[in-house]
Amino acid sequence: MTAFIQYTLQGLALGGFYALAALGLAVIFGVLGVVNFSHGACYMLGAVGAAVLLDATGLGFWAALPIVTVAMFVFGVLMERLLVRWLLRLDPLYNFLLTFGITLFLVDLVKRRYGVSSLAYELPAGLKGRVDIGSVSLSSYQIFVAAFSVVLCLAVWVLLTRTRIGMIVRAATEDAERSRALGINVGRWVTPVFGFGIALAGLAGVLRAPTGSVNADMGSFFIIILFAVVVIGGLGSILGAVVAGFLVGLVEAYGQGYAGSFSQVLIFVLMAVVILVRPSGLFGREEAAS
Amino acid sequence: MSDHVAQGSPNAKGSQHVLEVAGLSAWYGEAKVLSDVDLRVEPGEVVTLVGRNGAGKTTLLRSVMGLHRHVEGTVSWGGSDLGRSSPDKRARAGLGWVPDDRGIYATLTVAENLTLPPVTSKADAWSLEQVYEQFPVLHERRDFPGTKLSGGEQQMLAIARVLRMGSRLLLLDEPSEGLAPVIVQRIGEIIRQIKAQGVSVLLVEQNVTFASTVADRHYLLAQGRVVESLDNDSFQSRTTELLEYLGM
């Protein structure tokens, strides 16, 4: 039972990274129709950014959280304005290739500057210890990550469901063309939404920095898991991205706990089962599959 | 001028709300699906496009809305050429899009579906109260996801949505399709009511009986061309012949 609780917490923390990043991927796909392959690289940049910030200025995790997130938002805005925008009218494959290219570029840039070995990063002040609840001892940082990402996902949910901007983003995510035909200037929301999505990936990276290894390649496996998350949740579904993110985190953690090295395989078994039972994903619309 | 229109007098002199399509051709890739179509919708007029599947009716509506971009020819609205302007600009200029799949958002509630589009003309827009008074079922179900409504209710919602925007011309793509006769009748009433307010309707319809109960004029489309344009009286007297000609 003790182990189970620990794995659950671990899973929720892991799921937090996935959910935040997948949420960003989902809104970008929904509003722009772009499958952002560079999402993993942006997650990596978030983590590397936190490590570089610490090294260069001594500013730790608590400062990195807002600074890097805002910096990644700006990075996303530039990426959309300078590059992605020009290919939006073409086949979506072009932007997929563009963001794939951006990924290679960013990864190699980081390798060139900081090498391939992991950069040092510490647990943030105040969250180094463990919390004992009865006989269960839990990492306080994992508790923080799990709670923080759940709260953040809820906050984004409230933003999406309770505000006019959120309503427009949901409508554009469901059907951008129809929203245009109903008088909504979807183009106006394209840049901020892209920046927002990239910022969420960067934020997930910062959150990961204290417990994962921070290096140029950390995004390449992450993006694969992220695509599994999106397939499980249903392409273009915001709720699906969040739920599937936490689900995959839990499966990975239980897998690591009970099935050892088999855990990564379990994610893809889950994906295969979901595709068999519901081809459009847990929260995807049926038409999407046909 | 707007007083004129509000009284429901068609052909109001100097009205800005005429839709004029001239020499419109449209392509899907290499295939030409519309050839040199001319048509005109006067303020407060209900005009139908009749033709069998594949005649180009929906493409014509999509081209007017700016959704189909591979076109030649002109579409002008209120005297100004819409040119290459985007669908959202056209919608804000007063075109109300009611697609054949009704276009109701599943991730938005009924009330959100209604209030999502911007109000484009304060003078013409229905208030939410007005909408709910006309369509009590939308009020009852305002907090439900839009697609939890029945087909007929979704059609009402799609029409109410553009009326709340204050659209001056409704582009209705087969509103009667797949609906029970009593609902079709209700939609007919709504069309007559909005016509009385001076709003124009360009209606794609396969149900010719229904079309003849609401329309002033008809354009018959076959293989992307307008083959006949006639008023409702001649349409009604020649229905059988025309339908045979169209192969419907």
Side-chain angles (χ1 to χ4, degrees), chain A residues 161 164 167-168 170-171 174-175 177-185, chain B residues 62 65 67 88 91-92 97 103 105-107 112 115-118 161 165:
Chain A
T161 52
R164 174 144 189 97
M167 180 161 87
I168 289 170
R170 271 182 296 145
E174 188 174 331
D175 193 328
E177 180 186 71
R178 181 200 301 157
S179 306
R180 271 186 216 106
L182 289 170
I184 291 169
N185 185 349
Chain B
R62 289 177 59 83
M65 201 64 224
L67 291 166
D88 54 291
R92 289 197 298 275
W97 174 239
Y105 294 94
T107 50
E112 286 175 327
T115 54
L116 171 78
R161 179 166 63 183
M165 289 175 76

PDB file of all heavy atoms in Angstrom, chain A residues 161 164 167-168 170-171 174-175 177-185, chain B residues 62 65 67 88 91-92 97 103 105-107 112 115-118 161 165:
ATOM      1  N   THR A 161     -13.145  27.846 -19.978  1.00  0.00           N
ATOM      2  CA  THR A 161     -14.591  27.637 -19.918  1.00  0.00           C
ATOM      3  C   THR A 161     -15.358  28.832 -19.373  1.00  0.00           C
ATOM      4  O   THR A 161     -16.564  28.905 -19.536  1.00  0.00           O
ATOM      5  CB  THR A 161     -14.945  26.417 -19.042  1.00  0.00           C
ATOM      6  OG1 THR A 161     -14.298  26.565 -17.779  1.00  0.00           O
ATOM      7  CG2 THR A 161     -14.504  25.127 -19.698  1.00  0.00           C
ATOM      8  N   ARG A 164     -14.552  34.825 -22.245  1.00  0.00           N
ATOM      9  CA  ARG A 164     -14.885  34.964 -23.664  1.00  0.00           C
ATOM     10  C   ARG A 164     -13.711  34.496 -24.539  1.00  0.00           C
ATOM     11  O   ARG A 164     -13.908  33.826 -25.539  1.00  0.00           O
ATOM     12  CB  ARG A 164     -15.260  36.418 -23.960  1.00  0.00           C
ATOM     13  CG  ARG A 164     -15.463  36.677 -25.402  1.00  0.00           C
ATOM     14  CD  ARG A 164     -16.570  37.662 -25.734  1.00  0.00           C
ATOM     15  NE  ARG A 164     -16.768  37.626 -27.182  1.00  0.00           N
ATOM     16  CZ  ARG A 164     -17.700  36.905 -27.779  1.00  0.00           C
ATOM     17  NH1 ARG A 164     -18.553  36.228 -27.072  1.00  0.00           N
ATOM     18  NH2 ARG A 164     -17.781  36.866 -29.086  1.00  0.00           N
ATOM     19  N   MET A 167     -13.787  30.862 -24.651  1.00  0.00           N
ATOM     20  CA  MET A 167     -14.867  30.367 -25.511  1.00  0.00           C
ATOM     21  C   MET A 167     -14.430  30.416 -26.978  1.00  0.00           C
ATOM     22  O   MET A 167     -14.662  29.474 -27.736  1.00  0.00           O
ATOM     23  CB  MET A 167     -16.104  31.236 -25.290  1.00  0.00           C
ATOM     24  CG  MET A 167     -17.302  30.864 -26.098  1.00  0.00           C
ATOM     25  SD  MET A 167     -18.793  31.566 -25.361  1.00  0.00           S
ATOM     26  CE  MET A 167     -18.836  33.174 -26.107  1.00  0.00           C
ATOM     27  N   ILE A 168     -13.769  31.511 -27.353  1.00  0.00           N
ATOM     28  CA  ILE A 168     -13.307  31.646 -28.734  1.00  0.00           C
ATOM     29  C   ILE A 168     -12.243  30.588 -29.048  1.00  0.00           C
ATOM     30  O   ILE A 168     -12.262  29.979 -30.111  1.00  0.00           O
ATOM     31  CB  ILE A 168     -12.770  33.075 -28.972  1.00  0.00           C
ATOM     32  CG1 ILE A 168     -13.949  34.060 -28.980  1.00  0.00           C
ATOM     33  CG2 ILE A 168     -11.981  33.172 -30.263  1.00  0.00           C
ATOM     34  CD1 ILE A 168     -13.569  35.507 -28.965  1.00  0.00           C
ATOM     35  N   ARG A 170     -11.910  27.672 -27.594  1.00  0.00           N
ATOM     36  CA  ARG A 170     -12.572  26.363 -27.700  1.00  0.00           C
ATOM     37  C   ARG A 170     -13.266  26.214 -29.042  1.00  0.00           C
ATOM     38  O   ARG A 170     -13.184  25.173 -29.688  1.00  0.00           O
ATOM     39  CB  ARG A 170     -13.604  26.191 -26.574  1.00  0.00           C
ATOM     40  CG  ARG A 170     -13.031  25.592 -25.304  1.00  0.00           C
ATOM     41  CD  ARG A 170     -14.123  25.410 -24.275  1.00  0.00           C
ATOM     42  NE  ARG A 170     -14.672  26.694 -23.867  1.00  0.00           N
ATOM     43  CZ  ARG A 170     -15.952  26.899 -23.562  1.00  0.00           C
ATOM     44  NH1 ARG A 170     -16.817  25.916 -23.620  1.00  0.00           N
ATOM     45  NH2 ARG A 170     -16.358  28.091 -23.189  1.00  0.00           N
ATOM     46  N   ALA A 171     -13.956  27.275 -29.456  1.00  0.00           N
ATOM     47  CA  ALA A 171     -14.676  27.220 -30.733  1.00  0.00           C
ATOM     48  C   ALA A 171     -13.695  27.044 -31.886  1.00  0.00           C
ATOM     49  O   ALA A 171     -13.909  26.223 -32.775  1.00  0.00           O
ATOM     50  CB  ALA A 171     -15.508  28.489 -30.916  1.00  0.00           C
ATOM     51  N   GLU A 174     -12.353  23.576 -31.966  1.00  0.00           N
ATOM     52  CA  GLU A 174     -13.289  22.584 -32.510  1.00  0.00           C
ATOM     53  C   GLU A 174     -13.404  22.719 -34.022  1.00  0.00           C
ATOM     54  O   GLU A 174     -13.423  21.723 -34.739  1.00  0.00           O
ATOM     55  CB  GLU A 174     -14.667  22.744 -31.851  1.00  0.00           C
ATOM     56  CG  GLU A 174     -15.605  21.624 -32.234  1.00  0.00           C
ATOM     57  CD  GLU A 174     -16.932  21.672 -31.486  1.00  0.00           C
ATOM     58  OE1 GLU A 174     -16.956  22.177 -30.349  1.00  0.00           O
ATOM     59  OE2 GLU A 174     -17.926  21.194 -32.044  1.00  0.00           O
ATOM     60  N   ASP A 175     -13.504  23.942 -34.532  1.00  0.00           N
ATOM     61  CA  ASP A 175     -13.630  24.130 -35.975  1.00  0.00           C
ATOM     62  C   ASP A 175     -13.255  25.575 -36.325  1.00  0.00           C
ATOM     63  O   ASP A 175     -14.071  26.483 -36.207  1.00  0.00           O
ATOM     64  CB  ASP A 175     -15.066  23.823 -36.420  1.00  0.00           C
ATOM     65  CG  ASP A 175     -15.179  23.705 -37.934  1.00  0.00           C
ATOM     66  OD1 ASP A 175     -14.418  24.403 -38.642  1.00  0.00           O
ATOM     67  OD2 ASP A 175     -16.027  22.926 -38.410  1.00  0.00           O
ATOM     68  N   GLU A 177     -12.479  26.991 -39.226  1.00  0.00           N
ATOM     69  CA  GLU A 177     -13.106  27.562 -40.424  1.00  0.00           C
ATOM     70  C   GLU A 177     -14.515  28.059 -40.116  1.00  0.00           C
ATOM     71  O   GLU A 177     -14.912  29.157 -40.498  1.00  0.00           O
ATOM     72  CB  GLU A 177     -13.164  26.509 -41.538  1.00  0.00           C
ATOM     73  CG  GLU A 177     -13.800  27.042 -42.794  1.00  0.00           C
ATOM     74  CD  GLU A 177     -13.993  25.971 -43.863  1.00  0.00           C
ATOM     75  OE1 GLU A 177     -14.859  25.100 -43.676  1.00  0.00           O
ATOM     76  OE2 GLU A 177     -13.284  26.019 -44.868  1.00  0.00           O
ATOM     77  N   ARG A 178     -15.264  27.239 -39.398  1.00  0.00           N
ATOM     78  CA  ARG A 178     -16.631  27.615 -39.059  1.00  0.00           C
ATOM     79  C   ARG A 178     -16.632  28.874 -38.180  1.00  0.00           C
ATOM     80  O   ARG A 178     -17.475  29.754 -38.344  1.00  0.00           O
ATOM     81  CB  ARG A 178     -17.295  26.454 -38.304  1.00  0.00           C
ATOM     82  CG  ARG A 178     -18.734  26.731 -37.926  1.00  0.00           C
ATOM     83  CD  ARG A 178     -19.174  25.813 -36.808  1.00  0.00           C
ATOM     84  NE  ARG A 178     -19.070  24.414 -37.173  1.00  0.00           N
ATOM     85  CZ  ARG A 178     -18.963  23.441 -36.279  1.00  0.00           C
ATOM     86  NH1 ARG A 178     -18.930  23.713 -34.993  1.00  0.00           N
ATOM     87  NH2 ARG A 178     -18.872  22.190 -36.668  1.00  0.00           N
ATOM     88  N   SER A 179     -15.662  28.955 -37.260  1.00  0.00           N
ATOM     89  CA  SER A 179     -15.596  30.122 -36.389  1.00  0.00           C
ATOM     90  C   SER A 179     -15.359  31.383 -37.206  1.00  0.00           C
ATOM     91  O   SER A 179     -15.916  32.436 -36.917  1.00  0.00           O
ATOM     92  CB  SER A 179     -14.488  29.951 -35.358  1.00  0.00           C
ATOM     93  OG  SER A 179     -14.671  28.736 -34.663  1.00  0.00           O
ATOM     94  N   ARG A 180     -14.518  31.252 -38.249  1.00  0.00           N
ATOM     95  CA  ARG A 180     -14.298  32.405 -39.136  1.00  0.00           C
ATOM     96  C   ARG A 180     -15.599  32.794 -39.806  1.00  0.00           C
ATOM     97  O   ARG A 180     -15.949  33.963 -39.880  1.00  0.00           O
ATOM     98  CB  ARG A 180     -13.267  32.053 -40.205  1.00  0.00           C
ATOM     99  CG  ARG A 180     -11.877  32.348 -39.755  1.00  0.00           C
ATOM    100  CD  ARG A 180     -10.871  32.129 -40.861  1.00  0.00           C
ATOM    101  NE  ARG A 180      -9.683  31.604 -40.254  1.00  0.00           N
ATOM    102  CZ  ARG A 180      -9.296  30.358 -40.330  1.00  0.00           C
ATOM    103  NH1 ARG A 180      -9.967  29.495 -41.066  1.00  0.00           N
ATOM    104  NH2 ARG A 180      -8.232  29.963 -39.691  1.00  0.00           N
ATOM    105  N   ALA A 181     -16.346  31.797 -40.292  1.00  0.00           N
ATOM    106  CA  ALA A 181     -17.594  32.079 -40.994  1.00  0.00           C
ATOM    107  C   ALA A 181     -18.627  32.693 -40.055  1.00  0.00           C
ATOM    108  O   ALA A 181     -19.625  33.238 -40.508  1.00  0.00           O
ATOM    109  CB  ALA A 181     -18.134  30.810 -41.637  1.00  0.00           C
ATOM    110  N   LEU A 182     -18.401  32.609 -38.755  1.00  0.00           N
ATOM    111  CA  LEU A 182     -19.311  33.232 -37.801  1.00  0.00           C
ATOM    112  C   LEU A 182     -18.745  34.558 -37.294  1.00  0.00           C
ATOM    113  O   LEU A 182     -19.147  35.068 -36.255  1.00  0.00           O
ATOM    114  CB  LEU A 182     -19.602  32.286 -36.640  1.00  0.00           C
ATOM    115  CG  LEU A 182     -20.490  31.095 -37.021  1.00  0.00           C
ATOM    116  CD1 LEU A 182     -20.541  30.069 -35.898  1.00  0.00           C
ATOM    117  CD2 LEU A 182     -21.904  31.551 -37.373  1.00  0.00           C
ATOM    118  N   GLY A 183     -17.806  35.100 -38.038  1.00  0.00           N
ATOM    119  CA  GLY A 183     -17.368  36.460 -37.742  1.00  0.00           C
ATOM    120  C   GLY A 183     -16.223  36.572 -36.754  1.00  0.00           C
ATOM    121  O   GLY A 183     -15.903  37.668 -36.303  1.00  0.00           O
ATOM    122  N   ILE A 184     -15.621  35.445 -36.399  1.00  0.00           N
ATOM    123  CA  ILE A 184     -14.532  35.522 -35.426  1.00  0.00           C
ATOM    124  C   ILE A 184     -13.193  35.616 -36.129  1.00  0.00           C
ATOM    125  O   ILE A 184     -12.885  34.805 -37.008  1.00  0.00           O
ATOM    126  CB  ILE A 184     -14.584  34.318 -34.480  1.00  0.00           C
ATOM    127  CG1 ILE A 184     -15.819  34.489 -33.612  1.00  0.00           C
ATOM    128  CG2 ILE A 184     -13.339  34.249 -33.607  1.00  0.00           C
ATOM    129  CD1 ILE A 184     -16.163  33.318 -32.823  1.00  0.00           C
ATOM    130  N   ASN A 185     -12.428  36.610 -35.767  1.00  0.00           N
ATOM    131  CA  ASN A 185     -11.128  36.805 -36.368  1.00  0.00           C
ATOM    132  C   ASN A 185     -10.142  35.839 -35.709  1.00  0.00           C
ATOM    133  O   ASN A 185      -9.422  36.189 -34.783  1.00  0.00           O
ATOM    134  CB  ASN A 185     -10.707  38.257 -36.165  1.00  0.00           C
ATOM    135  CG  ASN A 185      -9.411  38.585 -36.864  1.00  0.00           C
ATOM    136  OD1 ASN A 185      -8.721  37.684 -37.344  1.00  0.00           O
ATOM    137  ND2 ASN A 185      -9.070  39.847 -36.920  1.00  0.00           N
TER     138      ASN A 185
ATOM    139  N   ARG B  62     -20.691  28.582 -50.162  1.00  0.00           N
ATOM    140  CA  ARG B  62     -19.358  28.690 -49.543  1.00  0.00           C
ATOM    141  C   ARG B  62     -18.522  29.774 -50.212  1.00  0.00           C
ATOM    142  O   ARG B  62     -17.725  30.452 -49.563  1.00  0.00           O
ATOM    143  CB  ARG B  62     -18.624  27.342 -49.613  1.00  0.00           C
ATOM    144  CG  ARG B  62     -19.208  26.279 -48.664  1.00  0.00           C
ATOM    145  CD  ARG B  62     -18.504  24.938 -48.828  1.00  0.00           C
ATOM    146  NE  ARG B  62     -17.069  25.068 -48.568  1.00  0.00           N
ATOM    147  CZ  ARG B  62     -16.530  25.044 -47.361  1.00  0.00           C
ATOM    148  NH1 ARG B  62     -17.304  24.867 -46.310  1.00  0.00           N
ATOM    149  NH2 ARG B  62     -15.237  25.184 -47.202  1.00  0.00           N
ATOM    150  N   MET B  65     -19.611  33.102 -48.999  1.00  0.00           N
ATOM    151  CA  MET B  65     -19.133  33.300 -47.631  1.00  0.00           C
ATOM    152  C   MET B  65     -17.620  33.492 -47.570  1.00  0.00           C
ATOM    153  O   MET B  65     -17.068  33.871 -46.548  1.00  0.00           O
ATOM    154  CB  MET B  65     -19.547  32.074 -46.805  1.00  0.00           C
ATOM    155  CG  MET B  65     -19.584  32.293 -45.311  1.00  0.00           C
ATOM    156  SD  MET B  65     -20.825  33.502 -44.835  1.00  0.00           S
ATOM    157  CE  MET B  65     -19.892  34.459 -43.649  1.00  0.00           C
ATOM    158  N   LEU B  67     -15.516  31.037 -47.985  1.00  0.00           N
ATOM    159  CA  LEU B  67     -14.910  29.804 -47.472  1.00  0.00           C
ATOM    160  C   LEU B  67     -14.262  29.006 -48.591  1.00  0.00           C
ATOM    161  O   LEU B  67     -13.275  28.307 -48.381  1.00  0.00           O
ATOM    162  CB  LEU B  67     -15.959  28.939 -46.764  1.00  0.00           C
ATOM    163  CG  LEU B  67     -16.490  29.512 -45.460  1.00  0.00           C
ATOM    164  CD1 LEU B  67     -17.740  28.780 -45.008  1.00  0.00           C
ATOM    165  CD2 LEU B  67     -15.416  29.450 -44.377  1.00  0.00           C
ATOM    166  N   ASP B  88     -14.464  35.908 -41.966  1.00  0.00           N
ATOM    167  CA  ASP B  88     -14.890  36.623 -40.747  1.00  0.00           C
ATOM    168  C   ASP B  88     -15.267  38.066 -41.069  1.00  0.00           C
ATOM    169  O   ASP B  88     -16.184  38.614 -40.471  1.00  0.00           O
ATOM    170  CB  ASP B  88     -13.839  36.527 -39.627  1.00  0.00           C
ATOM    171  CG  ASP B  88     -12.461  36.968 -40.042  1.00  0.00           C
ATOM    172  OD1 ASP B  88     -11.842  36.262 -40.860  1.00  0.00           O
ATOM    173  OD2 ASP B  88     -11.999  38.016 -39.566  1.00  0.00           O
ATOM    174  N   ALA B  91     -18.747  37.875 -42.538  1.00  0.00           N
ATOM    175  CA  ALA B  91     -19.744  37.646 -41.491  1.00  0.00           C
ATOM    176  C   ALA B  91     -20.023  38.947 -40.746  1.00  0.00           C
ATOM    177  O   ALA B  91     -21.168  39.278 -40.455  1.00  0.00           O
ATOM    178  CB  ALA B  91     -19.253  36.568 -40.518  1.00  0.00           C
ATOM    179  N   ARG B  92     -18.957  39.707 -40.477  1.00  0.00           N
ATOM    180  CA  ARG B  92     -19.156  40.960 -39.752  1.00  0.00           C
ATOM    181  C   ARG B  92     -19.824  42.022 -40.619  1.00  0.00           C
ATOM    182  O   ARG B  92     -20.370  42.994 -40.119  1.00  0.00           O
ATOM    183  CB  ARG B  92     -17.826  41.464 -39.170  1.00  0.00           C
ATOM    184  CG  ARG B  92     -17.333  40.593 -38.007  1.00  0.00           C
ATOM    185  CD  ARG B  92     -16.265  41.293 -37.178  1.00  0.00           C
ATOM    186  NE  ARG B  92     -15.075  41.583 -37.956  1.00  0.00           N
ATOM    187  CZ  ARG B  92     -14.078  40.731 -38.158  1.00  0.00           C
ATOM    188  NH1 ARG B  92     -14.114  39.546 -37.606  1.00  0.00           N
ATOM    189  NH2 ARG B  92     -13.040  41.075 -38.893  1.00  0.00           N
ATOM    190  N   TRP B  97     -24.036  32.698 -41.777  1.00  0.00           N
ATOM    191  CA  TRP B  97     -23.716  31.365 -42.298  1.00  0.00           C
ATOM    192  C   TRP B  97     -24.430  30.284 -41.489  1.00  0.00           C
ATOM    193  O   TRP B  97     -24.212  30.160 -40.282  1.00  0.00           O
ATOM    194  CB  TRP B  97     -22.195  31.192 -42.230  1.00  0.00           C
ATOM    195  CG  TRP B  97     -21.616  29.862 -42.574  1.00  0.00           C
ATOM    196  CD1 TRP B  97     -20.857  29.068 -41.762  1.00  0.00           C
ATOM    197  CD2 TRP B  97     -21.680  29.183 -43.829  1.00  0.00           C
ATOM    198  NE1 TRP B  97     -20.458  27.947 -42.431  1.00  0.00           N
ATOM    199  CE2 TRP B  97     -20.952  27.988 -43.696  1.00  0.00           C
ATOM    200  CE3 TRP B  97     -22.301  29.469 -45.048  1.00  0.00           C
ATOM    201  CZ2 TRP B  97     -20.821  27.075 -44.747  1.00  0.00           C
ATOM    202  CZ3 TRP B  97     -22.171  28.561 -46.078  1.00  0.00           C
ATOM    203  CH2 TRP B  97     -21.442  27.385 -45.929  1.00  0.00           C
ATOM    204  N   GLY B 103     -23.436  23.181 -37.936  1.00  0.00           N
ATOM    205  CA  GLY B 103     -22.273  23.839 -37.354  1.00  0.00           C
ATOM    206  C   GLY B 103     -22.405  24.198 -35.892  1.00  0.00           C
ATOM    207  O   GLY B 103     -21.948  25.249 -35.445  1.00  0.00           O
ATOM    208  N   TYR B 105     -21.369  23.845 -32.061  1.00  0.00           N
ATOM    209  CA  TYR B 105     -20.170  23.425 -31.334  1.00  0.00           C
ATOM    210  C   TYR B 105     -20.537  22.465 -30.210  1.00  0.00           C
ATOM    211  O   TYR B 105     -21.371  22.794 -29.363  1.00  0.00           O
ATOM    212  CB  TYR B 105     -19.463  24.636 -30.736  1.00  0.00           C
ATOM    213  CG  TYR B 105     -18.890  25.560 -31.775  1.00  0.00           C
ATOM    214  CD1 TYR B 105     -19.609  26.649 -32.230  1.00  0.00           C
ATOM    215  CD2 TYR B 105     -17.636  25.326 -32.314  1.00  0.00           C
ATOM    216  CE1 TYR B 105     -19.088  27.502 -33.190  1.00  0.00           C
ATOM    217  CE2 TYR B 105     -17.103  26.163 -33.278  1.00  0.00           C
ATOM    218  CZ  TYR B 105     -17.837  27.245 -33.707  1.00  0.00           C
ATOM    219  OH  TYR B 105     -17.319  28.074 -34.661  1.00  0.00           O
ATOM    220  N   ALA B 106     -19.880  21.311 -30.214  1.00  0.00           N
ATOM    221  CA  ALA B 106     -20.124  20.326 -29.163  1.00  0.00           C
ATOM    222  C   ALA B 106     -19.478  20.755 -27.854  1.00  0.00           C
ATOM    223  O   ALA B 106     -19.975  20.435 -26.777  1.00  0.00           O
ATOM    224  CB  ALA B 106     -19.565  18.967 -29.596  1.00  0.00           C
ATOM    225  N   THR B 107     -18.368  21.502 -27.946  1.00  0.00           N
ATOM    226  CA  THR B 107     -17.654  21.883 -26.726  1.00  0.00           C
ATOM    227  C   THR B 107     -18.186  23.184 -26.138  1.00  0.00           C
ATOM    228  O   THR B 107     -17.670  23.661 -25.138  1.00  0.00           O
ATOM    229  CB  THR B 107     -16.146  22.027 -27.005  1.00  0.00           C
ATOM    230  OG1 THR B 107     -15.982  22.872 -28.151  1.00  0.00           O
ATOM    231  CG2 THR B 107     -15.509  20.698 -27.282  1.00  0.00           C
ATOM    232  N   GLU B 112     -23.593  29.464 -25.101  1.00  0.00           N
ATOM    233  CA  GLU B 112     -22.314  29.905 -25.669  1.00  0.00           C
ATOM    234  C   GLU B 112     -22.348  29.880 -27.191  1.00  0.00           C
ATOM    235  O   GLU B 112     -21.792  30.762 -27.855  1.00  0.00           O
ATOM    236  CB  GLU B 112     -21.171  29.021 -25.164  1.00  0.00           C
ATOM    237  CG  GLU B 112     -20.794  29.283 -23.719  1.00  0.00           C
ATOM    238  CD  GLU B 112     -19.741  28.318 -23.218  1.00  0.00           C
ATOM    239  OE1 GLU B 112     -19.731  27.141 -23.657  1.00  0.00           O
ATOM    240  OE2 GLU B 112     -18.920  28.714 -22.381  1.00  0.00           O
ATOM    241  N   THR B 115     -23.936  33.084 -28.160  1.00  0.00           N
ATOM    242  CA  THR B 115     -23.253  34.348 -27.882  1.00  0.00           C
ATOM    243  C   THR B 115     -21.829  34.389 -28.419  1.00  0.00           C
ATOM    244  O   THR B 115     -21.175  35.419 -28.312  1.00  0.00           O
ATOM    245  CB  THR B 115     -23.224  34.635 -26.370  1.00  0.00           C
ATOM    246  OG1 THR B 115     -22.648  33.499 -25.711  1.00  0.00           O
ATOM    247  CG2 THR B 115     -24.611  34.882 -25.830  1.00  0.00           C
ATOM    248  N   LEU B 116     -21.369  33.293 -29.007  1.00  0.00           N
ATOM    249  CA  LEU B 116     -19.999  33.267 -29.544  1.00  0.00           C
ATOM    250  C   LEU B 116     -19.773  34.316 -30.642  1.00  0.00           C
ATOM    251  O   LEU B 116     -18.828  35.094 -30.573  1.00  0.00           O
ATOM    252  CB  LEU B 116     -19.673  31.859 -30.066  1.00  0.00           C
ATOM    253  CG  LEU B 116     -18.368  31.736 -30.840  1.00  0.00           C
ATOM    254  CD1 LEU B 116     -17.183  31.708 -29.881  1.00  0.00           C
ATOM    255  CD2 LEU B 116     -18.349  30.485 -31.710  1.00  0.00           C
ATOM    256  N   PRO B 117     -20.618  34.355 -31.674  1.00  0.00           N
ATOM    257  CA  PRO B 117     -20.328  35.312 -32.751  1.00  0.00           C
ATOM    258  C   PRO B 117     -20.532  36.740 -32.289  1.00  0.00           C
ATOM    259  O   PRO B 117     -21.387  36.993 -31.439  1.00  0.00           O
ATOM    260  CB  PRO B 117     -21.351  34.961 -33.841  1.00  0.00           C
ATOM    261  CG  PRO B 117     -21.993  33.696 -33.420  1.00  0.00           C
ATOM    262  CD  PRO B 117     -21.848  33.596 -31.946  1.00  0.00           C
ATOM    263  N   PRO B 118     -19.747  37.662 -32.824  1.00  0.00           N
ATOM    264  CA  PRO B 118     -19.910  39.064 -32.445  1.00  0.00           C
ATOM    265  C   PRO B 118     -21.229  39.612 -32.988  1.00  0.00           C
ATOM    266  O   PRO B 118     -21.718  39.145 -34.011  1.00  0.00           O
ATOM    267  CB  PRO B 118     -18.733  39.750 -33.130  1.00  0.00           C
ATOM    268  CG  PRO B 118     -18.377  38.852 -34.266  1.00  0.00           C
ATOM    269  CD  PRO B 118     -18.694  37.471 -33.819  1.00  0.00           C
ATOM    270  N   ARG B 161     -28.581  31.797 -33.936  1.00  0.00           N
ATOM    271  CA  ARG B 161     -27.225  32.305 -33.721  1.00  0.00           C
ATOM    272  C   ARG B 161     -26.902  33.464 -34.670  1.00  0.00           C
ATOM    273  O   ARG B 161     -26.358  34.483 -34.251  1.00  0.00           O
ATOM    274  CB  ARG B 161     -26.236  31.151 -33.923  1.00  0.00           C
ATOM    275  CG  ARG B 161     -24.801  31.494 -33.754  1.00  0.00           C
ATOM    276  CD  ARG B 161     -23.952  30.258 -33.639  1.00  0.00           C
ATOM    277  NE  ARG B 161     -23.975  29.420 -34.828  1.00  0.00           N
ATOM    278  CZ  ARG B 161     -23.343  28.255 -34.925  1.00  0.00           C
ATOM    279  NH1 ARG B 161     -22.674  27.781 -33.907  1.00  0.00           N
ATOM    280  NH2 ARG B 161     -23.404  27.557 -36.028  1.00  0.00           N
ATOM    281  N   MET B 165     -26.555  37.745 -34.220  1.00  0.00           N
ATOM    282  CA  MET B 165     -25.456  38.572 -34.729  1.00  0.00           C
ATOM    283  C   MET B 165     -25.988  39.835 -35.398  1.00  0.00           C
ATOM    284  O   MET B 165     -25.283  40.828 -35.514  1.00  0.00           O
ATOM    285  CB  MET B 165     -24.664  37.819 -35.807  1.00  0.00           C
ATOM    286  CG  MET B 165     -23.817  36.686 -35.332  1.00  0.00           C
ATOM    287  SD  MET B 165     -23.089  35.824 -36.764  1.00  0.00           S
ATOM    288  CE  MET B 165     -21.793  36.962 -37.250  1.00  0.00           C
TER     289      MET B 165
END
